[in-house]
Every structure is written in structure tokens, then in C-alpha cells.
Amino acid sequence: METLAQTVVSGALTGTLYAMIGVGLTVVFGVMRIINLAHGEMVMLGMFGAYWGQTLWRLDPFVSLLLWAPLMFVAGMGVYRFLLRPVVPGGELNTLLYTAGLSLLLANVALLLWSGDYRTITLSYGADPIRPLGIAVAVPLLVAFVLALALTGGLWALLMRTDLGRAIRATSQDAGAAVLMGIDVEKVAVITFGLGTALAAAAGVLLAPSLYLYPTVGELLVVKCFVVVVLGGLGSVPGAIAGGVLLGVVESLGAVYVSSTYKDGIGFVLLLAVLLYRPAGLFGVGRS
């Protein structure tokens, strides 16, 4: 029983970080119907930002979140404004192929700059776990969990309680009606893509102390991201949160009770099962 509790807690903590990645993709898709295949590379850039911040400037990775999230927000707005916006009118297939190319470009530039070596972030307070209720919890993972909750809660408050959030939700529901209501849909799209990019980079910063860093890590993370959003229902922010936690728990249970070798594969089996029996996602609403 103690092993089960330990496994579930560890999986839920990691799943919260998966949820942050999924939320970023979900917000972008909900507003612009863009499936951003470069989303994983945005996470990778956040991870390397945390690594180089510590290596070059002795900056704690979690403190560096205050630097990299705003920078990636601006970078995301620039990517949409100057690269993506011209191809959006061509339809979803165009944006899918374009972001796939952007993903390859970012990964290969990272390989050129930083080589394919695996790197890790070591924290002075990361050696000894704390043991609330007898369950061992790594301090970096706990800190990342708390920050992920704060960021996700902040996004929820933004969407629900601000004029910008209402504009984003209105655009997501019906862009044409939003225009008639006086909403600058183009401005909303730029800001939303920036938010999605910032969330991806923030998730990368929070994940960096717990994972190996390498330039192509985004390929694995974007697949996990799609598992999360499909589990939760594409376009649903609460669903992405629930899907991320569920994926983290399933992977953790699979690693302990099946094999750590097949941990990622177990998540993909879950994805296929959901697509087969519940295409709208576990928390999505099917079309009538």
C-alpha cells in the first residue's frame, strides 16, 4: 500500500507539469485552431534556458522562471506575428506542416549550438527528499508542482476574471461573433500564442531539474502533450489539467508494476484506447 501511495503521488506531481504543457497547446488550439507541432521545442528551450541560467549565471532554475517565461511570451508573439500569421488563412493543414518544419528547425539549431550530449541540472537541495506522511517526495519536484499550480491558477483567473480572458474565450467560441462584438481577434491571437509559448517554456523550466536535457527532447514531450490533450478533450483547459495528471499517474504505475522500459509506451496505449472508445476525450463533450 505504501508503494502504491508513493507511486501515485510521484505520478500526480509529474502529471501536473505535463498538464502545463498540454494547457499551452490547448489554449492555442482553442482560439486559433492551430495544432502547434513545435510546442515540444518551446518546452525544450525552456529547459535549456534553466540549464544555461544555472551554468553561466548560477541562477536557480525556479528563479529563472521569472526571466524565461516573459522572454518566451514575447518570442511566441513574434513567431505568430511574423512566421505563422501569413500561413493561417491557408487552413489547418498548412499550419500543421509549417509548425512541423519549425519544430525540425529549432531542434537542429539546438543540436548545432549545444550538441546532442545529455545534460542534467543538480540542485543543492535536491539530494534529500522530504517525507510527509512517510511518502518520499523530491524537493525540486514538489517546488515545481507548487509553481505549476500557481501558474495554472493564474491562467484560469486570467481567462475567467479579466477582459482579455473574456475576449480569448469569446474568440475561441466564435471568432466571427467576437469581431461583431468589437474584439480585435488578431490581437487576441497574437497574445494567445504568446501565452501558449510562455506556458510551454515555463513547463520546461520546471521539468528541467527532473529530466535529462538534450536538443531533441521536445519530440517526446510533444507526443506526451498530445496524449494529455486527447485524454482531456482537445480545446478543454480543465480537461488538459486532468489529462496531464492522469498520464503522470498511469506512467508512474506502469514503471513500477510493469517495467520502466515501457513507461512511455503505456501512455500511448492509453491514448489509443481513448481514441477508440471515447474520441472526444475522457473529459470532452462529444458531438451530437
Side-chain angles (χ1 to χ4, degrees):
M1 184 61 70
E2 182 178 339
T3 302
L4 177 62
Q6 175 73 63
T7 303
V8 170
V9 169
S10 298
L13 294 178
T14 303
T16 306
L17 304 182
Y18 290 164
M20 272 193 67
I21 305 174
V23 166
L25 184 65
T26 292
V27 169
V28 171
F29 177 82
V31 172
M32 293 173 282
R33 297 300 186 266
I34 292 176
I35 299 176
N36 181 14
L37 293 181
H39 199 72
E41 276 59 44
M42 306 303 180
V43 181
M44 177 270 293
L45 291 176
M47 295 175 74
F48 270 96
Y51 174 80
W52 291 117
Q54 186 199 49
T55 302
L56 300 177
W57 308 320
R58 301 291 184 266
L59 192 62
D60 185 282
F62 299 121
V63 175
S64 72
L65 186 65
L66 298 173
L67 170 65
W68 300 118
L71 281 178
M72 290 300 289
F73 174 74
V74 175
M77 290 196 298
V79 167
Y80 179 79
R81 173 66 179 80
F82 298 108
L83 298 179
L84 272 179
R85 190 169 73 171
V87 301
V88 167
E92 293 178 14
L93 180 60
N94 275 16
T95 57
L96 192 69
L97 294 174
Y98 197 90
T99 57
L102 181 60
S103 169
L104 291 172
L105 175 64
L106 290 174
N108 281 280
V109 168
L111 276 169
L112 181 64
L113 293 176
W114 304 320
S115 78
D117 295 341
Y118 281 57
R119 297 174 170 88
T120 58
I121 291 179
T122 303
L123 300 174
S124 59
Y125 50 84
D128 298 319
I130 59 174
R131 298 182 179 275
L133 304 176
I135 298 174
V137 178
V139 175
L141 189 57
L142 181 60
V143 174
F145 169 75
V146 172
L147 291 174
L149 283 183
L151 287 170
T152 306
L155 175 67
W156 186 255
L158 172 70
L159 292 175
M160 294 294 136
R161 300 181 179 275
T162 67
D163 290 340
L164 174 61
R166 284 185 278 273
I168 290 173
R169 288 188 287 123
T171 304
S172 174
Q173 292 168 9
D174 191 324
V179 171
L180 294 176
M181 295 297 293
I183 295 173
D184 187 342
V185 171
E186 195 58 43
K187 180 180 178 181
V188 167
V190 173
I191 293 173
T192 301
F193 199 87
L195 278 174
T197 303
L199 284 170
V205 171
L206 298 181
L207 277 168
S210 304
L211 295 181
Y212 286 108
L213 287 73
Y214 52 97
T216 56
V217 68
E219 296 175 3
L220 174 62
L221 292 174
V222 78
V223 174
K224 289 182 183 290
C225 180
F226 280 110
V227 175
V228 167
V229 297
V230 169
L231 287 176
L234 194 57
S236 168
V237 172
I241 296 170
V245 174
L246 177 62
L247 177 62
V249 171
V250 168
E251 284 190 347
S252 186
L253 289 171
V256 172
Y257 293 104
V258 181
S259 170
S260 59
T261 305
Y262 302 114
K263 182 182 75 168
D264 295 325
I266 290 169
F268 302 150
V269 170
L270 178 62
L271 168 66
L272 293 175
V274 170
L275 287 174
L276 184 61
Y277 296 107
R278 178 86 176 170
L282 296 177
F283 308 96
V285 177
R287 295 180 181 180
S288 56

